[in-house]
Amino acid sequence: MIGQMVEGSDINPDSQLHRNDLLSIAGVLLLALSLRIYTFPIARVIAADGISYVNIARSIFRGEGFAGAVHFPPMFPLLIGLVNLLVGDDELAGKLVSMFMGTVLVVPVYLLARELFSRQTALAASLLVALSPSLAKLSSEVLTQSTYLALILSALYCLWRSAESLRSGWGVAAGLLLGAAYLTRPEAIVILVASTFIVFAVPVMKRRDVRLHLKMLCIVWGAFFVLATPYILLLHNLNGSWQLSGKSSVTLADSLGWYLDRPDLKREPSFAGIGFMDVIRRYPDFLWKNSVRNIQSLWDETLPVHVWLLMLLGMAAGTARVGWLRSRLFICGACAPLLILIVFFFLGNVYTAPFLPFFLIFAAQGLVALQQQLLRIPALRAGSDLSGRISRFPVAAVTGGIIGVIMFMPHISFGKAKPYHYDDDGARYDHKLIGKMLKKNLPKRSTVMARDARLTFYADMSRVDIPQADLEEILSVARKNHARYIVADGTLLGMRPQMLPLLKPLLSSSLQGLFIVNGEGYRPVPGLRLVLLFTDPASAGVAVYELLE
C-alpha cells in the first residue's frame, strides 16, 4: 500500500509538451511580463540587502575578487554585473534581472505542476504565480528571491524528470541548476538533500533499478558540487571553518534581538556572532516563542484564508491514485527550509516568498479537486451534456485566474504617484532623497558615519556604521575609521537617543529647508561642527556634522 502511494507520478504519464501547452505557457508568460512591467516602479528604493549585492558586483567586476561574497553568495551579484555592462546602472541592472527571472518563473511552475499533476493544475498554478502580488513586487526589487525561484523550480523539474527517465542529461541539468540556486540562496542545499532523498530513496529501498538510480543520484550531486565547491572553499578560506553560508549569524541576531528586546543586537560592541547551537543552549524559550509568532505571521500575511484552504485540499486530494504521496512529498521537500526559518529566524513576506509557488501549486491542485467533485454531483455525472461541457471547460484555470485577480486588485495602485511622507515606508525613500542631496553638497566619495546603508549608497560614499554605544564611543569609532562626517537623520531619535545633542537642530519648528552652514556653526560636543541641515514636514530631516581634527 505504501509502495503504491510513493511510486510513480500522480496523474500525468504524458511528459511530452503539446501545442496547447506551448500556447498556455506563452499566454501566461505574456501576462506575467505585463504585470511585472506595470509593477516595476514599485521599488523606488533599493532594498538593504540589495546594496550588498550591488557592492559585491562592483567588487567582482573591478577585479577585486569574491571576498565580499561571504555573507551573500555570488550568483546574483554576477548577474547584476553582467547586465550592468549593458545598461550602465547597477541598481537598474539588479531590477532587470529580478523582472526577467520573475517573469520566466511561470514556465518551470507550469512544467513541474504538469509533470506532478495535470495540465489543468499547471495552467491554474502558473496563473496564480503570474498574478501573485508578492511575487510581482519582488520582481521589481534588487533581491535574490525571483532569481532563486526560477532556478530552484527549474532544478526540481529536471530532478523529477531525471528520476522518471533515468537519463543523464536531466541529472546534470538538475545538479547544475541546484548548484546555481545554492549560489543564489544557500538554503537550496536543504532542498537538494530532501528532494533527492524523496525521488531516489524509494526505488533503491525497493531494489528497483538500484544501479541506475544510484548512478543518477551521483550525477545530480556531482553536478551540484561542480558549481558549489569553489564557494564552499572560499568560505572556508575566509572564515577558517567549514560552513555553507556566512550570513546565518547576522540573520539570527535580527530575530534574537526581537526576543531579547534589543533590536540593534548585532550593532552592540559586545556582539561577536551567534550560531544555531548557541541559541538552542542559551535561549531554549526563544525557539517555541519565535515559532508561534512566525506561524501566526505566515497564516495572516502570506495568503488569503481561502487560498490556504485550497492548498490543504490540494495536498490531501487524490489519495486513491498511485504515487499520490510521492508527488506531495516532493513539493513538501522543497519547503523544508521553511521549518528552519520558522524556528530560528524572523519571518516576513520577503522570507516566505521562496515558498509561494509551491503553496500555489497545491492550491491549483485543490481547484482541480473541486472541479472533479463537481462532476460527481448526480445531475452532472458522465453522460449529461452539462457534464461534458464542464469537463472540457478549464474551470480550475479560470477560477485560479479569478482568485489571482482578486488578490492583485488591492495593489492596483502600484506605481501611481502620491504625496510622499517618510512614515509611509519607514523613511526608505526619504533616505534615498537625502543621500542624493548629500552627494550634491558634500565632497565626493567622502567617508561618513551613518546608520542607514541606503543613504550612503545614493550619496556614493563609504559608510561607517553607527554602533549601539554611548556618544563618546560612537565618536571614537568614527575617528578610528577615518570618517569625515557624521550623518544624524531624524530616524535616530528612537534608535539612538544618546545622539540627541546631534539631533536637536531637527527639532526646531522654526527651521525648514536646506541650510549649508559656514563658519563656526553649531557645536553639540567638542570636535563636531554642523555643516548641513535639512528639515521638511515630509522628511525625517538630517543634520550633518564634520569631525574636526
Side-chain angles (χ1 to χ4, degrees):
M1 179 64 178
I2 297 295
Q4 288 183 329
M5 288 190 285
V6 296
E7 284 193 85
S9 39
D10 189 6
I11 294 176
N12 183 31
D14 180 11
S15 297
Q16 190 72 32
L17 289 177
H18 299 287
R19 183 172 177 271
N20 287 342
D21 293 306
L22 298 177
L23 290 174
S24 297
I25 291 172
V28 178
L29 261 176
L30 184 60
L31 173 64
L33 177 62
S34 301
L35 291 176
R36 279 143 186 78
I37 291 173
Y38 176 70
T39 58
F40 195 74
I42 296 171
R44 298 190 293 178
V45 187
I46 194 168
D49 285 354
I51 296 170
S52 298
Y53 296 126
V54 167
N55 287 336
I56 294 168
R58 290 173 177 175
S59 178
I60 293 172
F61 281 79
R62 283 197 299 256
E64 298 170 2
F66 290 81
V70 175
H71 294 303
F72 298 92
M75 178 59 71
F76 189 56
L78 282 170
L79 294 176
I80 291 174
L82 290 172
V83 176
N84 186 44
L85 295 176
L86 301 176
V87 301
D89 182 323
D90 36 28
E91 182 183 1
L92 175 61
K95 288 167 66 73
L96 288 173
V97 171
S98 290
M99 186 179 76
F100 174 79
M101 292 297 194
T103 299
V104 301
L105 168 63
V106 298
V107 177
V109 167
Y110 183 98
L111 295 175
L112 183 62
R114 182 184 180 279
E115 190 72 25
L116 297 178
F117 299 110
S118 67
R119 286 192 180 91
Q120 293 184 70
T121 303
L123 183 54
S126 57
L127 283 170
L128 286 169
V129 167
L131 289 161
S132 166
S134 296
L135 295 175
K137 182 178 182 297
L138 282 170
S139 296
S140 68
E141 294 269 14
V142 186
L143 290 172
T144 58
Q145 279 80 354
S146 295
T147 300
Y148 169 77
L149 280 172
L151 292 171
I152 202 68
L153 266 295
S154 300
L156 290 172
Y157 171 70
C158 293
L159 180 61
W160 185 271
R161 293 292 304 125
S162 72
E164 294 293 293
S165 67
L166 294 176
R167 293 181 180 175
S168 300
W170 287 113
V172 171
L176 292 176
L177 286 166
L178 282 163
Y182 165 72
L183 293 178
T184 306
R185 295 181 68 88
E187 59 260 37
I189 199 165
V190 180
I191 296 178
L192 169 68
V193 174
S195 300
T196 52
F197 176 80
I198 290 166
V199 295
F200 293 119
V202 172
V204 171
M205 288 188 296
K206 292 181 68 65
R207 301 182 182 277
R208 179 167 59 84
D209 295 326
V210 173
R211 186 180 62 82
L212 291 176
H213 281 93
L214 288 177
K215 176 186 174 183
M216 189 58 59
L217 178 64
C218 292
I219 288 173
V220 172
W221 276 81
F224 169 82
F225 278 112
V226 165
L227 285 185
T229 298
Y231 182 61
I232 295 172
L233 292 175
L234 173 69
L235 290 176
H236 178 263
N237 290 336
L238 294 175
N239 297 325
S241 60
W242 293 106
Q243 52 187 277
L244 298 173
S245 170
K247 191 186 176 186
S248 299
S249 177
V250 176
T251 313
L252 273 172
D254 289 333
S255 53
L256 193 59
W258 159 82
Y259 172 73
L260 299 174
D261 197 22
R262 291 158 60 187
D264 259 353
L265 175 65
K266 63 187 177 186
R267 288 186 169 93
E268 295 178 5
S270 60
F271 178 70
I274 194 166
F276 291 101
M277 294 308 299
D278 297 323
V279 173
I280 293 171
R281 284 195 302 265
R282 293 160 57 184
Y283 308 104
D285 284 352
F286 164 78
L287 302 179
W288 71 264
K289 288 181 179 179
N290 194 56
S291 298
V292 170
R293 184 190 65 163
N294 280 334
I295 291 171
Q296 184 66 49
S297 173
L298 182 69
W299 179 267
D300 291 341
E301 299 175 12
T302 307
L303 290 169
V305 173
H306 58 274
V307 180
W308 281 121
L309 296 176
L310 284 171
M311 187 195 88
L312 294 174
L313 176 61
M315 293 176 68
T319 57
R321 298 180 183 275
V322 173
W324 74 272
L325 183 58
R326 184 169 176 243
S327 60
R328 270 73 173 175
L329 287 176
F330 188 68
I331 297 180
C332 289
C335 297
L338 182 59
L339 297 176
I340 300 173
L341 290 175
I342 287 174
V343 175
F344 288 100
F345 297 103
F346 186 87
L347 206 60
N349 286 335
V350 171
Y351 295 101
T352 56
F355 310 100
L356 268 179
F358 305 110
F359 297 163
L360 295 176
I361 288 174
F362 274 137
Q365 178 61 13
L367 288 172
V368 172
L370 284 179
Q371 179 179 348
Q372 292 169 347
Q373 290 299 319
L374 183 65
L375 293 173
R376 293 181 181 178
I377 298 174
L380 300 178
R381 283 182 179 168
S384 69
D385 292 339
L386 187 55
S387 173
R389 292 172 188 167
I390 291 176
S391 62
R392 290 191 298 271
F393 186 74
V395 175
V398 171
T399 307
I402 293 171
I403 291 173
V405 169
I406 292 172
M407 288 195 298
F408 195 85
M409 284 299 291
H411 306 272
I412 204 69
S413 60
F414 283 172
K416 287 187 178 179
K418 67 172 185 177
Y420 174 77
H421 189 275
Y422 73 94
D423 282 336
D424 294 343
D425 62 356
R428 287 161 53 97
Y429 186 61
D430 190 35
H431 284 144
K432 176 179 181 177
L433 299 178
I434 291 173
K436 290 189 170 183
M437 179 179 63
L438 298 185
K439 186 175 183 179
K440 290 181 180 178
N441 293 285
L442 294 182
K444 290 183 179 180
R445 305 296 174 91
S446 297
T447 299
V448 302
M449 172 174 271
R451 185 182 184 278
D452 193 272
R454 294 183 192 88
L455 196 150
T456 50
F457 176 79
Y458 288 106
D460 195 17
M461 296 177 181
S462 300
R463 170 176 167 263
V464 177
D465 197 7
I466 302 178
Q468 184 59 281
D470 59 44
L471 184 55
E472 184 179 348
E473 176 68 16
I474 289 173
L475 296 178
S476 174
V477 170
R479 294 183 187 281
K480 192 178 297 182
N481 289 276
H482 309 290
R484 183 174 178 182
Y485 299 99
I486 294 180
V487 179
D489 70 273
T491 62
L492 293 177
L493 282 168
M495 299 177 180
R496 297 290 189 279
Q498 65 269 41
M499 296 181 68
L500 182 60
L502 282 66
L503 298 166
K504 280 184 177 178
L506 299 177
L507 305 179
S508 173
S509 59
S510 62
L511 297 175
Q512 186 170 327
L514 174 63
F515 301 90
I516 306 297
V517 183
N518 297 310
E520 288 296 315
Y522 170 62
R523 298 195 178 200
V525 295
L528 282 187
R529 180 177 69 89
L530 181 68
V531 296
L532 183 148
L533 177 68
F534 174 74
T535 62
D536 187 276
S539 170
V542 65
V544 180
Y545 295 87
E546 183 179 15
L547 283 144
L548 304 176
E549 295 295 334

